[in-house]
Every structure is written in structure tokens, then in C-alpha cells.
Amino acid sequence: MPRRISIRQSVMAADEKIANRLRRDLKDRGILMVNLIGSPGAGKTTLLESTLAGTDLRSAVIEGDIATSRDAERIARTGTQAVQINTHGGCHLEAHLVEKALEELALDKVDIVFIENVGNLVCPAEFDLGEDYKVAVCSLPEGPDKPLKYPHLFCEAGAVLLTKIDLNKHIPFDRELFWGDVSRLNPNAKKIEISATAGDGMQEWKALLSRWLGEKR
Amino acid sequence: MHELSLVKSIIDLLADHAEKNGWHRVSRVTLRIGRMRQVIPDVMKFSFSVAAEGTALEGAELEIIELPLAGRCRACGYAWEEELFSCPKCGSSDSEITHGMELDIDSVEVEDQDAPKDKHSPICNGGR
Ligand SMILES: Nc1nc2c(ncn2[C@@H]2O[C@H](COP(=O)(O)OP(=O)(O)OP(=O)(O)O)[C@@H](O)[C@H]2O)c(=O)[nH]1
Ligand SMILES: [Mg+2]
Ligand SMILES: [Zn+2]
Ligand SMILES: [Zn+2]
């Protein structure tokens, strides 16, 4: 006869424990960790490339992708150390994967660890990786209705970046709708409009990173 | 894809319980999942049946109890049970999600191995 056994255990508990441990360890070492989340092609890697070029902040990058190490190679070309995590079909990163990636990085001279999550606007928002802030990266061509369609990410984000704003020459975009919805979902999120290719907003973004780093130390 | 990765964590966790406690077979698994976890029950059940093959959970029935979203206003304390991101009472968007993020294994039904006659049975349920 089968017998019923109560388990009452969170499936995420083990991973949440790892995330909290990572956050504590990085805090002790004075390192800021930022988790970039956005759709495929939103411009996450390009944003990182321009962020890393010409900054005093010493960085390391963890690249999450389903397959290939292309993004890590792009980052390595800027002279910044990068580790690639391949999820082999998995649609989001989890803390235990980040833990392994951190072990591969030389962190003693690093101020900021950037994580580029798997391109996906949906579930990466649900997983705590031990980061200090999640950053929502949404590009102008995706359209201004994304915050309300994918509210969870925008609710969780410490900052919302609207990228590729140089494309507004060619593509109409209702800014009031976009930023209005972001504010309603998350009044505390820092809001920045960026063009990684033309340079708009990059100063503001780097200043935000410096402020976050300062608050951690 | 999302369901598959969750299902793998669940199976790893329960296969571990099964080995430690000497469960012969798990015949039923009950999960409690919040609406914010964006899980589609049928996709979850299918992923589970595939991923369970070759484990102590093979053939187990998966039951999913879906839990509604609930939130609370940090400004005025008003609480609600629907998908809202601002307070219907005072309009503040400073709200928190109080339920809907659950992803818990509630219980299992197991069939035990024949208990060894010469030793104490290794079966226990973790004191719960
Ligand atoms: N016009 C314009 N194009 C951009 C900008 N940023 C990125 N792009 C282009 O957008 C495309 C995708 O950029 P990536 O940086 O690879 O996007 P990603 O978010 O890293 O993509 P995945 O890692 O595949 O999810 C590339 O062709 C970039 O050149 C920008 O600021 N302006
Ligand atoms: Mg990329
Ligand atoms: Zn996922
Ligand atoms: Zn209120």
C-alpha cells in the first residue's frame, strides 16, 4: 500500500541559499554584482562592450546563453575576463551555475561582476542569482507595451534601460506610455535611455553603477 | 523549457529523498505552485513524465495545486488577491507580492521496498 509523506520543501530553497551566500561573500569582498535581463537581441552584450570600454571600474562578466561562447568571446576582446555558462536548453540562469562561474574568475581585483542572463523577458526575473540588482534591458524596436506584458521583470528591476534609442529616427515609440507603465509598476526603478552605439545615456549608466558600488562599500 | 528545468530540480530533490529513505517507488507527487511562477500544468506534467523515466519517480502521477496571486500595499496596508501592481484603495504602486511565488513539494505517496528482515528498516520520513 502506498503511504503519504509530507515533504513541505521549497524546490528553490537550495538555490536561494546559494544566492544569499554569494551575496554575502561578494559584500565581504566589496564587489557589486548586476544581473542584466532582456529579450534576445535587446542589446545586452553591446551595452556591456561599451560599458567596459573607457571605464575605471574593474569588471568581470558572466555570460549566460543556451549555446555557443560567442558573447564571452566578444567580452574577452575588450580585455575583460569573461566566463560563458551554457544552459543547454535552459531558459534562465540559476544561482548554482553562477557560483561555479564565479570560481573561474580572478576576483581579487574586481569591482563589478556583470551577469548577462539568457535572452528571455520572462523567467530570468524569478531567479535570484545572488546579485545586488537586476537590470531590465528593453530595446526601442521591441515596442513600448513590454512593461505591462512582462510585469515581473520590471517590478523586480533596480534599473530599467531603454536601449537603441538612436533607432527612434526610423521607428516610432511612445515614450510616455513606456515610462508611465514602468513608473506604475516600479516607482523606485532608475530609468535610463541609452544608445550603446551613439553613446547617449552611457555616462548616466556608469554613474549609476558607481553609486551602487559606493553603497556596497 | 522552463517547466523542464523546474521538473529536473524536483526530480533530483525527490530522488535524493528516495535513496536516503529507501523508497521503492514514488507513485504520486503533489506540488504547490504560485501563479507568478508562470508554469503551465499540462506542460509540467508532460515534462515530468519524460524526465522521471529511469528514476524512482517513473510513472508517478503529478498533482499541481495552483495558488493565486496575492499582494499588499506598503503605503496603506490594504491586501488583495488578484493580479494588481498598484493599490486599488489608495493608488500607491509601492506594493509587495505576498503569495504567488511558491514552488513547493507538498507531499508524495511512496511504495516501500520490502523491509529487510535482519536489520532496522531504513525507512523514515525525516521526523516530519
Ligand atoms: N542601432 C543600434 N543597434 C544596437 C544597439 N545596441 C545593440 N544593437 C544591435 O542589436 C543587435 C543585438 O545586440 P546584442 O548586444 O548582441 O544583443 P543581446 O541582448 O546581447 O542578444 P542575446 O545575447 O542574443 O540575447 C546587434 O546587431 C547590435 O549591433 C544600439 O544602441 N543601437
Ligand atoms: Mg548577448
Ligand atoms: Zn526559465
Ligand atoms: Zn494602498
Side-chain angles (χ1 to χ4, degrees):
Chain A
M1 271 300 285
R3 60 196 179 96
R4 185 171 171 281
I5 298 172
S6 173
I7 306 274
R8 301 207 161 271
Q9 185 175 0
S10 161
V11 177
M12 316 299 290
D15 220 54
E16 278 159 10
K17 231 196 235 161
I18 296 174
N20 287 326
R21 187 172 67 229
L22 294 180
R23 199 160 19 244
R24 262 197 319 274
D25 288 354
L26 292 173
K27 166 93 185 144
D28 289 344
R29 303 165 79 170
I31 299 171
L32 174 75
M33 188 154 79
V34 173
N35 179 4
L36 299 178
I37 302 175
S39 323
K44 300 176 292 297
T45 311
T46 311
L47 172 73
L48 283 175
E49 286 169 323
S50 351
T51 307
L52 299 169
T55 170
D56 306 334
L57 298 168
R58 298 165 303 176
S59 309
V61 177
I62 297 172
E63 281 290 345
D65 276 299
I66 290 177
T68 83
S69 55
R70 289 202 174 163
D71 282 0
E73 286 158 20
R74 281 172 62 185
I75 298 298
R77 262 179 251 132
T78 69
T80 304
Q81 49 170 336
V83 201
Q84 183 77 51
I85 301 175
N86 281 142
T87 59
H88 307 289
C91 42
H92 57 263
L93 290 179
E94 295 179 16
H96 62 98
L97 298 171
V98 171
E99 184 179 40
K100 260 191 250 143
L102 284 171
E103 284 165 13
E104 288 178 41
L105 292 167
L107 291 178
D108 25 309
K109 290 202 179 86
V110 163
D111 302 311
I112 305 188
V113 175
F114 293 99
I115 301 169
E116 179 180 339
N117 219 308
V118 178
N120 178 350
L121 215 44
V122 189
C123 58
E126 292 169 36
F127 294 85
D128 184 356
L129 303 183
E131 75 279 329
D132 297 292
Y133 294 99
K134 292 186 173 77
V135 171
V137 181
C138 185
S139 66
L140 183 135
E142 290 169 58
D145 57 356
K146 295 302 165 288
L148 284 193
K149 284 189 173 172
Y150 303 91
H152 194 180
L153 170 62
F154 294 88
C155 286
E156 290 269 316
V160 175
L161 311 185
L162 177 65
T163 58
K164 309 192 191 180
I165 57 159
D166 55 289
L167 292 176
N168 207 185
K169 291 188 295 240
H170 313 289
I171 303 167
F173 187 84
D174 188 341
R175 284 187 156 73
E176 264 166 51
L177 175 69
F178 182 83
W179 290 120
D181 287 344
V182 168
S183 297
R184 267 186 291 283
L185 290 171
N186 182 347
N188 303 320
K190 176 84 181 158
K191 309 180 192 83
I192 310 179
E193 296 192 358
I194 289 184
S195 167
T197 49
D200 309 42
M202 288 305 295
Q203 273 327 105
E204 211 184 325
W205 162 238
K206 286 180 193 172
L208 176 67
L209 292 170
S210 301
R211 199 186 84 206
W212 281 348
L213 181 64
E215 286 166 1
K216 193 143 193 209
R217 288 181 166 169
Chain B
M1 264 323 166
H2 185 59
E3 282 80 0
L4 187 58
S5 89
L6 298 180
V7 142
K8 280 181 181 151
S9 308
I10 292 163
I11 289 173
D12 282 354
L13 226 148
L14 287 177
D16 203 48
H17 276 283
E19 196 182 312
K20 281 195 192 125
N21 300 317
W23 302 339
H24 180 53
R25 200 179 92 79
V26 177
S27 52
R28 187 182 182 87
V29 177
T30 303
L31 306 177
R32 296 163 60 82
I33 304 185
R35 287 256 308 128
M36 281 301 274
R37 285 290 173 188
Q38 315 183 75
V39 157
I40 304 167
D42 284 344
V43 176
M44 192 87 174
K45 285 178 188 171
F46 177 72
S47 306
F48 181 84
S49 68
V50 175
E53 276 171 29
T55 74
L57 288 92
E58 183 165 337
E61 193 181 325
L62 187 68
E63 182 191 7
I64 298 176
I65 301 170
E66 286 185 271
L67 303 172
L69 196 87
R72 201 181 67 86
C73 174
R74 284 206 189 93
C76 76
Y78 184 75
W80 55 84
E81 284 196 2
E82 50 193 313
E83 190 156 349
L84 290 175
F85 294 96
S86 59
C87 177
K89 206 169 157 202
C90 77
S92 164
S93 32
D94 191 9
S95 61
E96 61 185 349
I97 296 166
T98 50
H99 286 288
M101 289 301 289
E102 295 86 351
L103 184 53
D104 301 333
I105 302 173
D106 179 74
S107 59
V108 292
E109 277 179 21
V110 304
E111 287 163 16
D112 296 318
Q113 225 156 1
D114 298 333
K117 290 198 176 74
D118 52 346
K119 298 191 256 184
H120 284 304
S121 156
I123 296 158
C124 75
N125 57 16
R128 276 183 278 254

